[in-house]
Amino acid sequence: MHNNSTCLSTPDMLQSIDYRTFFSCWCIWVNGPVIVGAGPSGLAVGLGLKQQGVPFIILERANCIASLWQNRTYDRLKLHLPKQFCQLPNFPFPEDFPEYPTKNQFIAYLEYRHFEISPNFNETVQSAKYDETFGLWRVRRVLVGGPRPSQIEVEYICQWLVVASGENAEKIVPEFEGLESFGGDVMHACDYKSGENFRGKQVLVVGCGNSGMEVSLDLRNHNARPSMVVRSSGSAREINLCTGGLHDEVVATLFIDKILIFLAWLILGNVEKYGLKRPKIGPLQLKNAAGKTPVLDIGALSKIRSGEIKVVPGIKKFLSGQVELLDREVLDIDSVVLATGYCSNVPSWLKLVSSVLLLSCRSNLWNENLLIKVFPLDVLHLEFAYC
């Protein structure tokens, strides 16, 4: 992977370096990309690189692969896309897996495949900065958890950085007036596992995205009485509308959106009378413009129509054992589940500079030819990829 024409140790460079900062901790040279994150994206990139004979390392802050899937998802979760769009390079799902594998099936699939590579677990990236003088990435990490936790900082030096830590690394917890005096159980959706412990209880689910809809459905299936807060418009459609995949690179986004909006109206009917607001733009435009993922209905809508899941407006404030809504209605509730979404933690540690070439792998991550394009063995000018 080295090119003799790009020598890094020139006299001018050496004279401009402050060695007190450049070598301020233990440094390790990586003869290939550093991949941050051992989730599905990181594993896919690693496997693709391995198949091309490219060395790499994977840094993972948790003690397992796919930690979000294993530790921060509810039991009933399934893939929201058909399995053929979620498989790792050259490794299809078993034929006996359903079209939408369950959480446990997906984890078992990833666990089986990951033995071909060895991520560095319990390593949390503190910062990643591109050194323009040398044309190298400096990825600083600290060892946390595990059998021998240490605060000793180590800096990996590499030419390429792949950020595969996902868009759901950190939970979003909004502030609500009076929540501290509510007195009941309050949890984020990432800590929710099953409705088994909520039988017979009045539960307020804050949020109407995919998590909010599925948590509400799961609560009702366990004989709880959920009320779902709808604060803004979403895009609801039957999950089987995704069967063919969404390829906006093949057909114009606007055209696809018009088809999806028409099919959603044809199949779902008028959902606004149930308190669900439709956006004025289609799901692909909504994703591109606002980063919002379309809602895939897998049964919650029928419960809403029957009144088993109550849709309520936004929250004004919490009271002791109650919540006051924006329409001044007051509900007695036992528990609150915050399905208020997630965000990436990348901005907190990734330091980009204008000269870095940014390549997004998000739309075609598992295309088996992608990694050849991203890291060709004879091209050294690509420094950064975001998955």
Side-chain angles (χ1 to χ4, degrees), residues 97-116:
F97 274 31
E99 186 174 17
Y100 299 92
T102 65
K103 164 186 171 178
N104 291 335
Q105 288 173 324
F106 188 49
I107 292 172
Y109 164 80
L110 295 176
E111 287 278 9
Y112 177 79
R113 187 60 167 170
H114 106 273
F115 286 110
E116 295 188 11

Side-chain angles (χ1 to χ4, degrees), residues 329-384:
E329 181 183 6
V330 176
L331 300 178
D332 293 323
I333 54 174
D334 301 302
S335 303
V336 177
V337 178
L338 300 173
T340 46
Y342 303 85
C343 65
S344 171
N345 63 10
V346 174
S348 68
W349 55 265
L350 179 63
K351 316 300 178 184
L352 282 179
V353 292
S354 58
S355 63
V356 175
L357 175 60
L358 172 62
L359 177 70
S360 173
C361 306
R362 292 165 59 187
S363 62
N364 274 327
L365 180 59
W366 289 306
N367 183 331
E368 62 183 7
N369 296 318
L370 175 68
L371 280 304
I372 301 175
K373 299 175 183 176
V374 174
F375 296 109
L377 298 181
D378 58 344
V379 177
L380 296 177
H381 66 271
L382 180 63
E383 296 97 2
F384 175 72

Side-chain angles (χ1 to χ4, degrees), residues 208 230-236 271-272 274-279 311 313:
C208 61
V230 177
R231 296 179 297 169
S232 61
S233 60
S235 179
V271 297
E272 293 197 7
Y274 303 109
L276 300 174
K277 299 178 182 178
R278 281 266 178 82
V311 175

Side-chain angles (χ1 to χ4, degrees), residues 35-96:
I35 303 170
V36 181
S41 298
L43 294 177
V45 174
L47 287 167
L49 290 172
K50 182 173 182 179
Q51 291 166 7
Q52 299 300 317
V54 180
F56 63 92
I57 64 168
I58 298 179
L59 306 180
E60 169 56 50
R61 66 177 180 175
N63 61 356
C64 62
I65 66 164
S67 62
L68 297 183
W69 275 87
Q70 297 207 50
N71 303 326
R72 302 176 65 182
T73 53
Y74 36 88
D75 295 342
R76 65 165 288 120
L77 181 64
K78 295 182 179 181
L79 285 178
H80 285 170
L81 289 174
K83 60 184 180 182
Q84 64 265 31
F85 296 107
C86 303
Q87 66 189 31
L88 298 174
N90 299 321
F91 188 68
F93 282 89
E95 292 184 1
D96 59 345

